[in-house]
Amino acid sequence: MKRWDIKRVCIAAVCIALCYVLPVALHGVALGSALSPMHIPVLLCGLACGGGYGVLCGLLGPILSHVLSGMPPVPMLVRMIPELMTYGLAAGLFKGRFHSGKPVIDLYASLILAMLLGRIVGGVATAIFFLVTADTYSVKLWVTGYFVEALPGIVAHLLVVPALYQTLRKAGVIPVRTK
């Protein structure tokens, strides 16, 4: 196994663990729901390690958190997993596709597109969940839940994820892209 592959496995493992630690810590100070802390390590994992690792983080992170803490509860878990897996996959795929010559712009473009795509998939998963449970769901509820009420988390993600990514890159944990 190559050195970078070992680093990616380790980074992904830490991100999966953070999917448990961050929500527990932030729910303890009543900021968990507002900041969507599980999204941060999944997005970071996708950006740092690639889409495959991001998908694993988006799948295993919420399951680990649920098993260890009961959060998120099962109805939310089945809606969050597709959203988080999409975040991880899209962040990794988009990060490898942008080559503007300005790494910060590439990073933000990848992050924003991944966040939009994840929210769309999360909305579809939620709509399917509500169809199965015979409850009502609408575009207004989707926009309210995934964009309006999520605004503090969106802002936090746009600030924290790039800062963490740049810190890991500058520390040599993530290699600088050569393309």
Side-chain angles (χ1 to χ4, degrees):
M1 190 178 266
K2 296 178 187 175
R3 185 176 180 168
W4 172 230
D5 292 332
I6 293 169
K7 278 187 178 182
R8 285 196 292 195
V9 168
C10 292
I11 293 167
V14 168
C15 288
I16 291 167
L18 286 172
C19 285
Y20 165 70
V21 172
L22 287 177
V24 167
L26 290 176
H27 279 286
V29 293
L31 290 173
S33 295
L35 296 181
S36 303
M38 200 174 294
H39 297 57
I40 293 169
V42 173
L43 288 163
L44 182 62
C45 184
L47 290 169
C49 301
Y53 288 96
V55 167
L56 285 174
C57 185
L59 172 65
L60 299 177
I63 291 171
L64 174 72
S65 181
H66 174 76
V67 168
L68 295 177
S69 70
M71 296 185 311
V74 172
M76 187 177 283
L77 180 69
V78 298
R79 295 178 283 159
M80 279 180 68
I81 287 175
E83 176 187 5
L84 292 174
M85 288 174 66
T86 302
Y87 282 154
L89 176 65
L93 291 178
F94 290 138
K95 182 72 176 90
R97 302 296 185 269
F98 289 109
H99 304 287
S100 70
K102 300 187 187 238
V104 172
I105 290 174
D106 296 346
L107 179 61
Y108 272 101
S110 302
L111 180 60
I112 290 167
L113 287 173
M115 290 170 68
L116 285 172
L117 190 57
R119 281 172 165 62
I120 291 168
V121 169
V124 170
T126 301
I128 292 169
F129 176 81
F130 279 114
L131 282 174
V132 171
T133 61
D135 211 341
T136 57
Y137 191 64
S138 67
V139 172
K140 181 180 179 184
L141 287 173
W142 172 67
V143 169
T144 301
Y146 280 88
F147 293 94
V148 177
E149 292 173 0
L151 192 58
I154 291 169
V155 171
H157 303 157
L158 291 172
L159 295 173
V160 171
V161 173
L164 290 171
Y165 179 87
Q166 294 290 26
T167 300
L168 291 173
R169 192 187 60 69
K170 287 179 183 174
V173 175
I174 301 170
V176 177
R177 184 172 67 195
T178 57
K179 294 181 185 178

